[in-house]
Amino acid sequence: MNIGDKMPDLLGKDSEGNEIKLSDFPGKKFIIYFYPKDNTPGCTAEAISFRDNYETFLKMGYQIIGVSKDSEASHRKFAEKQNLPFPLVADTETALCQLAGVWRLKKMAGREYMGVVRTTFVCDNDGTVTDVIEKVMTKAAAEQLFKLLDGRGAVNPAP
């Protein structure tokens, strides 16, 4: 997905098996972040960054939604362990990941495989992509977004 493209209304199912639709969050803009795997160091750091700043994002008018190919059960354990207040979409068939263009060939230790490339999309209230972050700073994911959004004249995240 690129700037100007539109996320689908139905993103998938969350950790409790509930359908997650953008239309379920009227008046909200969206931060939809795709990450490789629950309970890995980088993905945990990214989720904690969003968790610790969740209320600020809500005050700024943004709903956070995480997406990976992990199962609903894996998401449930991850969300409970890390006390995550936002939904995690279980894209086990990688349909949303493929649509977003984050399901790509990856290389690690001389091995090639298909996987989720960590990417964050900022969308307006109808799901239109306004920004794409491909080089996510996992431990400072929220701060990276605050800098981007503040640079566009968004609400200042400072307390």
Side-chain angles (χ1 to χ4, degrees), residues 7-29:
M7 286 282 176
D9 183 45
L10 177 61
L11 298 180
K13 293 188 177 183
D14 70 5
S15 60
E16 302 301 320
N18 301 312
E19 287 187 341
I20 298 296
K21 296 180 181 177
L22 298 183
S23 57
D24 290 338
F25 304 96
K28 291 288 183 190
K29 296 176 190 171

Side-chain angles (χ1 to χ4, degrees), residues 59-147:
K59 288 177 187 170
M60 293 173 68
Y62 287 91
Q63 173 61 47
I64 296 172
I65 300 171
V67 182
S68 84
K69 70 177 288 298
D70 292 303
S71 68
E72 293 170 19
S74 177
H75 280 342
R76 189 168 35 258
K77 289 176 190 171
F78 183 49
E80 287 172 3
K81 182 177 181 181
Q82 300 304 330
N83 197 28
L84 303 180
F86 47 83
L88 299 176
V89 173
D91 188 27
T92 57
E93 301 297 318
T94 70
L96 185 59
C97 291
Q98 289 182 49
L99 179 69
V102 301
W103 184 251
R104 299 186 202 147
L105 185 65
K106 297 173 81 173
K107 296 178 184 181
M108 185 166 57
R111 190 178 74 109
E112 292 186 345
Y113 62 97
M114 294 300 291
V116 175
V117 174
R118 186 183 317 278
T119 309
T120 301
F121 294 90
V122 179
C123 303
D124 65 15
N125 57 5
D126 74 349
T128 301
V129 176
T130 59
D131 294 280
V132 180
I133 300 174
E134 292 184 337
K135 293 185 181 190
V136 177
M137 300 182 316
T138 56
K139 291 181 181 177
E143 291 80 3
Q144 188 177 21
L145 278 160
F146 290 147
K147 185 181 254 186

